């Protein structure tokens, strides 16, 4: 069975500061990993994904994430927060063998202050 | 632009009155999903169609049903909505469910009065 744990339901940063949102996964086989962003009353938008290959993945809006198998982690970072980054972020996992569906973490609300 | 469209964006229904939410896609993806998302919670998969094959999650209440008349459309039917069914309902699609992430619609926020 696969699962995702996101540390911290809320993260607060100042504009221009580093953003770090944590995600750890549990999966019986090597997973595919995703980060989605959700703005209020909107659907989920894919930020980035890791499937195979390079473990450092770059996504949209200046975000990136690094797959660390030894730590079972896929933390999301952005060097400099922007006010428009304020939203909820979901980490998700899916097994890469056979067919399985996406399992989401509980989400982390990113708050950005001026 | 190819996309996933959900209608309506906001739906108010009476307690116990059947309601249908709709989802359409122009991506020609063969897999369509319905998620329920309650306030400040992760999206929870209710069921999905892989082509015409319906896959129900074990803990999805019988009150929730789905129809997929063709590749482009998928419907979520709630037979007798309760107050606990108030939530955002998200439709998503994927191609074969492999590798690539899902494409989500903007969701329908359901209020039960």
């Amino acid at each position: 069975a696969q699962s995702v744990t996101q540390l911290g339901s809320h993260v607060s940063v100042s504009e221009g500061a580093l953003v770090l949102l944590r995600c750890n996964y549990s999966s019986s086989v090597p997973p595919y990993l995703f980060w989605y962003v959700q703005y209020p009353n909107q659907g989920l938008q894919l930020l980035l994904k890791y499937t195979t290959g390079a473990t450092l993945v770059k996504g949209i809006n200046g975000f990136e994430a690094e797959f660390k198998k030894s730590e079972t982690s896929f933390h999301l970072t952005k060097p400099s927060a922007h006010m428009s980054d304020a939203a909820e972020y979901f980490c998700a996992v899916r097994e890469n063998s056979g067919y399985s569906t996406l399992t989401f973490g509980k989400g982390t609300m990113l708050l950005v202050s001026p | 632009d190819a996309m996933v469209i959900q209608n309506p964006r906001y739906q108010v229904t009476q307690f116990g009155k059947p309601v249908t939410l709709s989802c359409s896609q122009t991506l020609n993806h063969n897999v369509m999903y319905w998620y329920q998302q309650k306030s400040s919670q992760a999206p929870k998969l209710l069921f999905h169609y892989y082509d015409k094959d319906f896959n129900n999650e074990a803990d999805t209440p019988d009150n929730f049903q789905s129809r997929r008349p063709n590749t482009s459309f998928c419907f979520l039917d709630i037979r007798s909505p309760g107050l606990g069914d108030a939530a955002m309902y998200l439709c998503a699609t994927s191609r074969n469910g492999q590798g690539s992430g899902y494409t989500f619609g903007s969701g329908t926020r359901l209020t039960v009065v």
Side-chain angles (χ1 to χ4, degrees):
Chain A
Q2 56 195 21
S3 66
V4 172
T5 302
Q6 291 184 242
L7 279 175
S9 59
H10 292 79
V11 169
S12 295
V13 299
S14 300
E15 192 172 21
L18 172 70
V19 175
L20 171 60
L21 305 182
R22 299 178 186 274
C23 173
N24 288 88
Y25 69 88
S26 171
S27 177
S28 55
V29 297
Y32 292 148
L33 293 157
F34 306 84
W35 275 99
Y36 284 85
V37 60
Q38 187 178 34
Y39 297 98
N41 290 313
Q42 295 290 322
L44 279 72
Q45 180 183 7
L46 181 66
L47 273 179
L48 49 79
K49 63 183 179 184
Y50 169 78
T51 53
T52 58
T55 56
L56 181 63
V57 180
K58 295 186 184 300
I60 62 172
N61 301 339
F63 284 93
E64 62 182 38
E66 187 171 10
F67 170 61
K68 292 187 176 181
K69 186 177 179 181
S70 60
E71 298 177 8
T72 61
S73 69
F74 191 57
H75 301 330
L76 181 70
T77 61
K78 182 173 181 177
S80 176
H82 200 271
M83 296 294 289
S84 60
D85 294 327
E88 187 144 28
Y89 292 79
F90 292 93
C91 184
V93 64
R94 149 171 148 51
E95 293 180 358
N96 73 3
S97 64
Y99 175 74
S100 66
T101 55
L102 212 54
T103 299
F104 286 91
K106 292 186 175 181
T108 298
M109 180 67 72
L110 177 65
L111 307 169
V112 183
S113 57
Chain B
D1 286 344
M3 56 177 56
V4 179
I5 301 169
Q6 290 189 244
N7 285 306
R9 289 295 310 278
Y10 300 91
Q11 174 76 56
V12 180
T13 191
Q14 290 181 334
F15 182 95
K17 184 176 180 180
V19 65
T20 295
L21 310 181
S22 74
C23 177
S24 64
Q25 54 127 342
T26 58
L27 297 161
N28 203 32
H29 284 171
N30 62 326
V31 192
M32 295 186 77
Y33 311 81
W34 278 105
Y35 280 84
Q36 179 193 63
Q37 186 182 22
K38 296 189 176 180
S39 182
S40 301
Q41 295 185 22
K44 178 181 177 298
L45 183 64
L46 294 174
F47 27 58
H48 71 280
Y49 276 92
Y50 193 111
D51 296 322
K52 295 182 179 180
D53 293 334
F54 178 69
N55 298 271
N56 199 29
E57 294 300 298
D59 55 354
T60 297
D62 292 340
N63 200 23
F64 291 84
Q65 305 284 320
S66 186
R67 296 170 283 134
R68 189 179 186 186
N70 54 52
T71 301
S72 301
F73 285 87
C74 196
F75 299 98
L76 169 62
D77 300 309
I78 308 177
R79 292 193 295 188
S80 181
L83 296 178
D85 296 328
M88 174 77 92
Y89 289 88
L90 298 166
C91 175
T93 69
S94 75
R95 185 178 302 283
N96 297 323
Q98 299 293 326
S100 60
Y102 297 177
T103 301
F104 281 84
S106 296
T108 294
R109 182 164 295 283
L110 179 68
T111 301
V112 182
V113 299

